[in-house]
Amino acid sequence: MSFNHFNRRLHLYLAMFLLPWVLMYGLSSLPFSHHDFFDDLYRGDGVSTWTKRFERSYDRPVPQGADLRQIGAQILADVDLEGAFGAHQPNQQRLNIYLHDFWDHTRLSYFITEQRLVAEDRRFRWDWFFTGMHARGGFQQDSFLNDLWAVVVDGVCIGFFIWIASGIYMWWLLKPTRLWGALALGGGIASFIIFLLAL
Amino acid sequence: MYALSTMAMNHRHFFQEYYGDSKTPFHLESETTYNGIFPDNAKPNTIAQQILLDLNMDGTHYVRGGRNGKPITIWREAPLWMKRITYTPDNNNLRIERQESRMPTILEELHRRKGFEQDYLLADLWGVIVDLVIAAMVFWVLSGLWMWWELKITRQWGGWFMIAGALLFALFIATI
């Protein structure tokens, strides 16, 4: 198998395997780029964003500088919830824990000084479904499948580098499109630099 | 840029450990007295715009505070640098801080950047380019599928790779 042959097969088969991710990242960028438009689609439908699941008294100290993920995991265990989550402390009085999968999103608000814990479920919206998928990544969750998703995210990134390199190689071999390709490539690089400097 | 920045975000914890903090710090660049005069009952956005124009720094920015004579903080976001400008009306103090230059932070800012939110032509043009990237990605998927189907010699293996990818994607959707 020649390098040219290998390059073409790699370009194609990698694309076929990663096709769902490329399509997902493309489509899910739209709600990010046109946030207001998608917000308007759902705003008038009368469905509230958050529905309270429970509210209870709760007491767990949150020392300053504590590992929020560790405390978040303890709180989730205390209320029999599990899954991928993130923890955020917007101020000294409050700790938020976000429990999420691709379909559901639950927010636990722990009001530290009031010793009160509120759990709320977020409504489903297709734009949030896609943006949630888009934003998902990282290796901080204690779950094999979540880590595997992050590995695939890295794979998609590496895939893009391979498509760029293999695409440039294939373009260079096609003499009839060399000039126009160079103009397009040069124009893209020049405009990117202009944006970097002028924005 | 999008691939590099995605890797930076996917390994954010690594970079946070590497730099030793979760937020990129700002460092004082200058502190002066600002003697500009604002219109009566000027809104925070008006105040921010005037300060940025006077500093010759106009561009995409975000504002916090500034109501009822309270201090106003302006985040001026350029692709390669970010500045935080704080104006305190009580003593006309103008403090300019620059965010430490870190490659992961710059890449993340570029990744998250969008247009159509403020009245800056270049920012909107960036937004148009982002939309073009989205359209291109969808086009690459569709044109790639068509080219794959036309190449009979790779149809079978290409099909297997596509099915394997789709199954893995479906597994993720159903489980995590």
Side-chain angles (χ1 to χ4, degrees):
Chain A
M1 183 187 278
S2 67
F3 178 74
N4 189 20
H5 192 77
F6 170 78
N7 187 56
R8 286 170 181 277
R9 292 291 179 275
L10 178 66
H11 192 94
L12 171 67
Y13 295 145
L14 192 63
M16 297 307 283
F17 184 76
L18 294 175
L19 188 144
W21 280 270
V22 176
L23 194 58
M24 177 274 287
Y25 282 121
L27 292 176
S28 60
S29 299
L30 268 176
F32 281 115
S33 189
H34 298 277
H35 171 264
D36 290 346
F37 171 79
F38 287 93
D39 230 22
D40 286 345
L41 286 181
Y42 288 95
R43 191 171 287 157
D45 64 5
V47 181
S48 56
T49 303
W50 297 99
T51 307
K52 193 185 284 184
R53 193 193 292 190
F54 65 76
E55 179 172 353
R56 63 176 70 162
S57 57
Y58 186 82
D59 183 19
R60 180 177 286 282
V62 183
Q64 207 162 7
D67 181 347
L68 296 181
R69 274 196 67 80
Q70 200 176 2
I71 294 174
Q74 288 164 343
I75 293 175
L76 286 172
D78 286 345
V79 293
D80 287 328
L81 289 172
E82 59 178 19
F85 73 95
H88 171 61
Q89 188 169 16
N91 54 55
Q92 291 302 311
Q93 283 80 45
R94 186 169 173 171
L95 174 66
N96 289 336
I97 302 158
Y98 301 97
L99 187 71
H100 51 82
D101 57 32
F102 287 130
W103 302 94
D104 300 308
H105 186 110
T106 302
R107 177 176 68 189
L108 280 101
S109 307
Y110 174 35
F111 299 93
I112 301 162
T113 45
E114 297 173 36
Q115 298 188 343
R116 187 164 58 92
L117 184 66
V118 181
E120 298 160 292
D121 295 314
R122 196 177 71 177
R123 65 172 295 188
F124 179 81
R125 274 174 47 169
W126 280 108
D127 55 336
W128 290 342
F129 172 76
F130 281 108
T131 53
M133 211 181 288
H134 187 120
R136 190 148 186 159
F139 293 87
Q140 67 273 28
Q141 307 294 340
D142 294 326
S143 127
F144 170 73
L145 278 175
N146 276 292
D147 284 348
L148 188 59
W149 173 269
V151 168
V152 176
V153 171
D154 276 345
V156 175
C157 298
I158 293 166
F160 270 98
F161 298 133
I162 291 173
W163 289 321
I164 289 169
S166 57
I168 285 178
Y169 178 76
M170 285 191 282
W171 157 69
W172 190 249
L173 293 183
L174 288 169
K175 283 190 181 157
T177 58
R178 212 179 266 180
L179 178 65
W180 281 104
L183 284 172
L185 182 65
I189 291 170
S191 61
F192 187 73
I193 291 170
I194 289 170
F195 276 117
L196 282 188
L197 298 175
L199 263 171
Chain B
M1 179 274 283
Y2 282 117
L4 271 177
S5 55
T6 302
M7 285 196 106
M9 289 190 275
N10 204 31
H11 296 274
R12 191 181 288 125
H13 283 74
F14 166 79
F15 289 109
Q16 285 174 351
E17 277 181 27
Y18 176 79
Y19 287 108
D21 44 35
S22 59
K23 286 182 181 170
T24 310
F26 283 83
H27 301 294
L28 183 65
E29 198 172 70
S30 71
E31 195 161 13
T32 53
T33 301
Y34 179 72
N35 291 316
I37 296 166
F38 303 105
D40 288 342
N41 301 318
K43 289 183 176 171
N45 281 330
T46 311
I47 297 170
Q49 181 105 49
Q50 182 179 317
I51 291 173
L52 287 174
L53 282 168
D54 287 346
L55 292 172
N56 205 17
M57 253 196 253
D58 196 22
T60 305
H61 62 274
Y62 299 92
V63 182
R64 184 180 287 175
R67 292 189 185 279
N68 306 319
K70 290 193 173 156
I72 183 169
T73 306
I74 308 156
W75 280 266
R76 168 71 176 95
E77 285 185 338
L80 300 177
W81 52 264
M82 158 103 88
K83 289 192 180 181
R84 184 168 64 193
I85 301 144
T86 310
Y87 171 64
T88 310
D90 286 347
N91 55 6
N92 291 338
N93 180 269
L94 188 72
R95 187 181 168 87
I96 303 174
E97 296 159 292
R98 184 183 174 124
Q99 194 176 41
E100 197 172 289
S101 287
R102 290 180 183 175
M103 192 47 79
T105 310
I106 291 170
L107 286 169
E108 270 203 46
E109 290 298 329
L110 278 171
H111 191 116
R112 295 178 195 282
R113 199 171 188 103
K114 49 190 179 177
F116 314 120
E117 287 184 322
Q118 298 184 11
D119 291 332
Y120 295 105
L121 177 66
L122 262 180
D124 286 347
L125 269 177
W126 177 271
V128 171
I129 300 276
V130 171
D131 283 351
L132 263 176
V133 174
I134 295 168
M137 284 173 82
V138 175
F139 177 74
W140 287 325
V141 167
L142 297 176
S143 62
L145 277 174
W146 182 72
M147 285 194 286
W148 157 70
W149 191 250
E150 289 291 303
L151 288 167
K152 282 191 181 151
I153 198 163
T154 56
R155 204 179 277 176
Q156 192 180 16
W157 275 103
W160 287 122
F161 274 106
M162 184 168 64
I163 289 167
L167 284 176
L168 183 62
F169 191 77
L171 174 75
F172 283 128
I173 296 283
T175 55
I176 63 170

